[in-house]
Amino acid sequence: MGRITARWPVTKVRIGHEPRRRPDRLAVEEPLEIRIGGRPLAVTMRTPGTDVELAAGFLVSEGVITRAEQFRAAIHCGGPGTGGTENTYNVLDIALSADTPPPGPATARDFLTTSACGICGKTSIDAVETSSAFDLRGDETTVRPSLLVELPERLRAGQRAFDSTGGLHAAALFDAESGELLTLREDVGRHNAVDKVIGWALTRDRLPLRGTILQVSGRASFELVQKAVMAGIPILTAVSAPSSLAAELAERSGLTLIGFLRGDSMNVYTGAARVAPA
């Protein structure tokens, strides 16, 4: 799996047995510096791969772009200054269209965004919640509960890198009517996995993502709700719980938020009208 996983020697300790050395696989975590026109914007810790989708989704989540034509090009380049230094593929420089304003100071991050936090480095509390260009309240998508209960297992079945490491989050996009899996992405950061899904959609000119469901492998945090809203996704489902702030944002935005989607049951926290009678 290239740079997605790495081999590492471990000592296996088991009660009643002699310790033994064996190789193990770890999920790779490396920094990605995102630049706009050569100017640093943010650094996020991520699993390498689909970096262009990650950066594109990040810009959608931050309200910088909303359309495919605004994202003109992206290229991996060398380290600081890029003056002939080795290309580590950890710096991605993005060119926006000429009529797209570059992100302002409020969007730039003052420090590293870790794989655990997608809004770290925001310069003010007011900057945490970003206004979406898409109004979810007009999305009349409905979904059958019988389809919803299938999604966690289908997400898990598509997690190839998780099978070998046990250390990656995942996000998948499904068509709400047919249940078709549109795309699935893995990353050490749950917010990065979602950004990769959104970036996939942007680069294919599919925003807003009306009529879709975003399924995530962990909890439904505020930042994941915000990203779904920014991409025009009407339904967010998670195998674990949402936070109170996530539920409040979902309610204000018209998002259907579902948690504890396990077995044959679920909790619908907001937007229950989109869940058809069982």
Side-chain angles (χ1 to χ4, degrees):
M1 292 186 182
R3 295 170 66 210
I4 297 177
T5 65
R7 295 175 68 86
W8 193 269
V10 299
T11 300
K12 182 71 172 181
V13 178
R14 184 180 176 190
I15 303 299
H17 296 77
E18 289 292 321
R20 62 186 181 87
R21 295 278 285 176
R22 66 176 182 83
D24 196 11
R25 284 195 173 273
L26 302 179
V28 171
E29 183 177 30
E30 293 181 359
L32 176 68
E33 180 181 326
I34 299 172
R35 298 178 180 177
I36 303 292
R39 299 182 62 180
L41 176 67
V43 178
T44 184
M45 300 301 296
R46 97 303 189 193
T47 300
T50 59
D51 288 340
V52 173
E53 293 179 353
L54 171 57
F58 176 81
L59 294 179
V60 172
S61 297
E62 295 295 317
V64 177
I65 58 176
T66 57
R67 307 185 312 275
E69 61 265 26
Q70 293 176 297
F71 191 93
R72 189 161 59 86
I75 186 171
H76 283 99
C77 50
T82 68
T85 57
E86 180 184 358
N87 193 340
T88 62
Y89 295 94
N90 285 333
V91 178
L92 189 68
D93 197 3
I94 297 165
L96 302 179
S97 63
D99 61 347
T100 302
T107 304
R109 304 299 178 89
D110 282 347
F111 55 88
L112 184 74
T113 301
T114 72
S115 56
C117 175
I119 57 175
C120 299
K122 285 283 193 178
T123 54
S124 71
I125 293 175
D126 291 339
V128 168
E129 188 172 329
T130 307
S131 297
S132 177
F134 309 121
D135 184 5
L136 295 181
R137 298 187 184 281
D139 191 315
E140 298 180 353
T141 298
T142 59
V143 62
R144 305 182 311 277
S146 58
L147 187 153
L148 288 171
V149 297
E150 296 176 356
L151 301 187
E153 183 56 36
R154 293 179 63 189
L155 176 71
R156 176 66 186 85
Q159 290 185 256
R160 292 179 54 215
F162 181 88
D163 286 338
S164 61
T165 66
L168 289 171
H169 292 283
L173 192 69
F174 294 91
D175 181 273
E177 183 176 358
S178 67
E180 177 190 358
L181 172 62
L182 302 176
T183 191
L184 185 152
R185 294 291 182 266
E186 293 181 277
D187 198 277
V188 288
R190 59 171 59 88
H191 55 92
N192 287 338
V194 171
D195 275 341
K196 288 177 178 181
V197 167
I198 295 172
W200 171 89
L202 178 95
T203 56
R204 288 158 178 79
D205 199 20
R206 298 187 65 151
L207 295 187
L209 284 164
R210 296 188 179 94
T212 63
I213 304 165
L214 178 65
Q215 170 72 43
V216 296
S217 59
R219 62 188 179 88
S221 63
F222 170 87
E223 58 190 338
L224 298 194
V225 169
Q226 180 173 277
K227 289 177 185 297
V229 170
M230 294 300 290
I233 299 170
I235 303 172
L236 171 61
T237 58
V239 298
S240 193
S243 67
S244 62
L245 198 60
E248 290 169 8
L249 177 59
E251 181 71 23
R252 287 198 304 274
S253 304
L255 175 80
T256 296
L257 178 61
I258 298 172
F260 290 108
L261 181 55
R262 304 172 183 176
D264 62 354
S265 68
M266 68 199 77
N267 291 345
V268 184
Y269 293 89
T270 63
R274 287 199 179 98
V275 180

